[in-house]
Amino acid sequence: MTQHSNLLFRFAAPQAFYGLAGRLWPWFAALASVLGVWGLWMGMFVAPADFQQGQAYRIIYVHVPASWMSMIIYLAMAFWALLGLTFNTRLSGMMNRALAPTGAMFAFLSLWTGALWGKPMWGTWWVWDARLTSELILFFLYLGFMGLTASIDDPRRADKAGGLLALVGAINVPVIYFSVRWWNTLHQGASVSVTQGSSMAQTMLWAMLLMALAFWLYAIAIALYRIRTLILEREKHTLWVKAELRSEGGAS
């Protein structure tokens, strides 16, 4: 137990995490690419057409995983915010800044693909449905986080302010998830449930899960890649960063 704790505290240091992120992100990116191509191939060409929605339903292979990731990333930000506010770790704020743009992208992708799906199904691009509205609020929370942290010059103060917003905004995530149960909405219920299993055909389910895993790995890869830049910016006054930049300059 002590050995694992020491390992966690070791990689909580920006210098150690910088090296770890550099080793890991290419592998996550490669796996995300392979699984993404595999998932799209299964979803677009192997999975059967839906008996009610025909071919139009295939947008779910992007829409649903993007919606899942928009919520998961925000919960991850809330976790890092709690860690940073509790233990005053420097890495936590940088991790949140690395995650936020990807979360905002997935929230936007969820809203955009939802509109494309809603037009043929509901006859309109947008309705003020409980799930759609709460997802839109999540998108604005991401934008608010990025705007707030960018507007404060002191990085540590910015991290704390952003962390508080991430924690408060996390209340919106269960609202998104349970909105179709709590209110009478146009949005259909979950096709995949932990407690009730899946109502989808097996091929459809596998394509969906492959895309979800691909999006997850992509989010990790891009966050690790982005945090390396943030670490260099934050730690530019340290000797190890100066040595790192000199070595990279010499190598090029």
Side-chain angles (χ1 to χ4, degrees):
M1 187 69 177
T2 305
Q3 185 178 359
H4 291 300
S5 300
N6 291 336
L7 189 64
L8 289 175
F9 279 112
R10 178 193 164 201
F11 285 114
Q15 182 177 359
F17 196 82
Y18 178 86
L20 179 66
R23 292 191 296 272
L24 291 181
W25 82 261
W27 292 98
F28 282 108
L31 284 172
S33 301
V34 171
L35 292 179
V37 171
W38 187 10
L40 282 175
W41 174 73
M42 286 192 66
M44 299 301 167
F45 302 108
V46 178
D50 186 78
F51 75 99
Q52 286 182 322
Q53 303 179 42
Q55 301 293 343
Y57 92 98
R58 295 186 190 278
I59 202 168
I60 68 170
Y61 298 115
V62 175
H63 173 71
V64 174
S67 302
W68 287 346
M69 289 309 303
S70 69
M71 293 185 283
I72 290 169
I73 290 174
Y74 203 91
L75 290 178
M77 287 174 59
F79 165 77
W80 282 107
L82 182 62
L83 206 63
L85 292 170
T86 303
F87 298 104
N88 200 30
T89 54
R90 289 179 295 162
L91 189 65
S92 298
M94 289 185 276
M95 185 62 78
N96 273 346
R97 292 200 189 204
L99 287 168
T102 307
M105 181 200 71
F106 278 125
F108 175 79
L109 191 59
S110 170
L111 293 166
W112 180 57
T113 53
L116 291 177
W117 192 10
K119 180 61 175 175
M121 296 301 107
W122 300 339
T124 182
W125 298 103
W126 178 267
V127 291
W128 290 101
D129 178 270
R131 175 159 286 182
L132 273 66
T133 304
S134 52
E135 182 70 20
L136 180 63
I137 291 172
L138 182 64
F139 177 60
F140 287 143
L141 284 168
Y142 278 119
L143 296 183
F145 175 89
M146 291 187 288
L148 177 63
T149 53
S151 66
I152 301 175
D153 293 332
D154 183 7
R156 300 308 294 265
R157 285 181 55 241
D159 290 346
K160 289 182 180 179
L164 288 172
L165 179 59
L167 284 174
V168 173
I171 299 171
N172 186 53
V173 174
V175 173
I176 299 172
Y177 185 79
F178 292 108
S179 57
V180 293
R181 300 184 190 179
W182 292 345
W183 296 286
N184 183 22
T185 70
L186 283 174
H187 200 286
Q188 70 182 59
S191 299
V192 181
S193 171
V194 176
T195 57
Q196 300 177 3
S198 171
S199 60
M200 305 174 69
Q202 198 72 17
T203 312
M204 294 178 179
L205 177 62
W206 273 108
M208 177 92 71
L209 294 178
L210 281 171
M211 288 302 298
L213 186 56
F215 280 8
W216 196 314
L217 292 171
Y218 166 81
I220 295 172
I222 201 68
L224 292 175
Y225 182 85
R226 193 178 287 126
I227 199 172
R228 282 168 57 84
T229 302
L230 291 169
I231 289 173
L232 290 179
E233 290 177 355
R234 290 279 189 95
E235 305 289 308
K236 60 185 177 183
H237 60 282
T238 60
L239 293 176
W240 76 266
V241 168
K242 293 176 182 178
E244 182 73 27
L245 293 176
R246 279 197 301 269
S247 65
E248 290 180 0
S252 60

